[in-house]
Amino acid sequence: MKRILACIMALAMLLCCGALAESTLNVTGSGTVYVAADRVSASLGISINGEDLGELQNQANEKMNAICRALLDAGLEDSNISTNYLYISPRYDYSGEMERITGYSISNSLTIMTDEIDSIGSYIDAAFAAGANTFDSISFTVKDDSAAQKKALELAVADAQGKAEVIAAAAGRELGGILTISQGSEDDYSYYNSTAGSGMYMREGSEMDGAATTVRAAQIRVNAQVQISYELK
């Protein structure tokens, strides 16, 4: 008798689970907000080669100090200049039976940052005029994106709600209340270039000397995602 009751209870649980699964609709919603960038940073520096490491380090220090002075003279705050990376590596000759060091390479990069996006081009020009010969990257950010993130989440919830209503109506069912809701992947934070060349580093003219650097600010794209489970009637 106990075995029969246990079987009946197990069957009832299976039927309940099946009914629950059939009465649930899971949807994913996404929202995107575009905001204007109000901060820009660029990475630039030097790359030099030489045979004597000590002498090469002195040259690198002199060049980087000259670049920093030029940036400060151009109006950039000292707190907005920081080291991005410093690489020192040997160069080898593999032509003989045994490899031997023939010299060294030093790469040193600074990151410069400013809230005055229109000024970043002049800072880049000043750095190259002072001896910089490498340019690694440029990036745009927003100092406070909390409002954009909230708006993106609101749009994501509305998107999920709209999808759920369409699916329920197409299936001949009525949409019930929300059973569960959770935030999806981390908010994506990326650039959106509305025009060709936006957010890119460009030099006008065919030569470095006297050429002006043009930087166009990018828009920031903030994405949000939610997963919502609805009851179906």
Side-chain angles (χ1 to χ4, degrees):
M1 184 67 179
K2 291 182 178 180
R3 181 175 296 178
I4 294 175
L5 289 174
C7 291
I8 292 174
M9 291 178 63
L11 180 60
M13 290 179 65
L14 288 172
L15 291 174
C16 288
C17 290
L20 180 61
E22 292 175 357
S23 62
T24 301
L25 173 62
N26 300 317
V27 294
T28 298
S30 60
T32 301
V33 175
Y34 299 97
V35 292
D38 56 12
R39 176 170 291 173
V40 59
S41 61
S43 296
L44 51 82
I46 62 166
S47 180
I48 58 176
N49 302 316
E51 297 181 0
D52 183 88
L53 180 56
E55 181 180 344
L56 194 64
Q57 287 177 309
N58 289 334
Q59 292 178 17
N61 291 336
E62 290 177 2
K63 288 179 177 293
M64 294 305 291
N65 288 335
I67 292 171
C68 288
R69 286 195 301 269
L71 290 170
L72 294 174
D73 291 342
L76 190 63
E77 296 291 332
D78 183 65
S79 58
N80 289 341
I81 305 173
S82 60
T83 298
N84 183 31
Y85 63 76
L86 170 62
Y87 297 139
I88 302 176
S89 57
R91 293 183 295 128
Y92 293 95
D93 179 5
Y94 300 97
S95 60
E97 294 182 0
M98 297 184 61
E99 64 183 43
R100 63 185 183 89
I101 296 176
T102 59
Y104 297 88
S105 297
I106 293 182
S107 295
N108 198 340
S109 174
L110 295 174
T111 294
I112 58 176
M113 181 178 64
T114 180
D115 296 343
E116 301 174 357
I117 295 179
D118 292 340
S119 299
I120 191 66
S122 63
Y123 296 144
I124 293 172
D125 289 337
F128 274 87
N133 61 5
T134 63
F135 188 89
D136 300 314
S137 64
I138 188 167
S139 61
F140 298 88
T141 57
V142 177
K143 286 177 287 187
D144 183 5
D145 64 349
S146 56
Q149 290 180 351
K150 291 177 182 178
K151 183 62 178 179
L153 283 170
E154 292 175 359
L155 293 174
V157 172
D159 181 50
Q161 178 75 22
K163 290 178 180 178
E165 291 173 353
V166 171
I167 294 173
R173 305 285 293 272
E174 291 185 7
L175 194 64
I178 294 176
L179 299 175
T180 62
I181 183 170
S182 61
Q183 184 178 353
S185 58
E186 291 293 328
D187 292 347
D188 182 39
Y189 196 71
S190 54
Y191 310 130
Y192 173 74
N193 298 330
S194 58
T195 59
S198 295
M200 298 300 293
Y201 165 80
M202 299 177 293
R203 281 230 174 229
E204 296 178 343
S206 59
E207 297 180 359
M208 295 291 284
D209 295 337
T213 299
T214 301
V215 175
R216 300 176 187 172
Q219 282 189 305
I220 302 300
R221 179 169 54 201
V222 180
N223 294 337
Q225 192 177 79
V226 295
Q227 285 88 37
I228 304 180
S229 295
Y230 293 90
E231 178 186 7
L232 282 180
K233 298 179 181 180

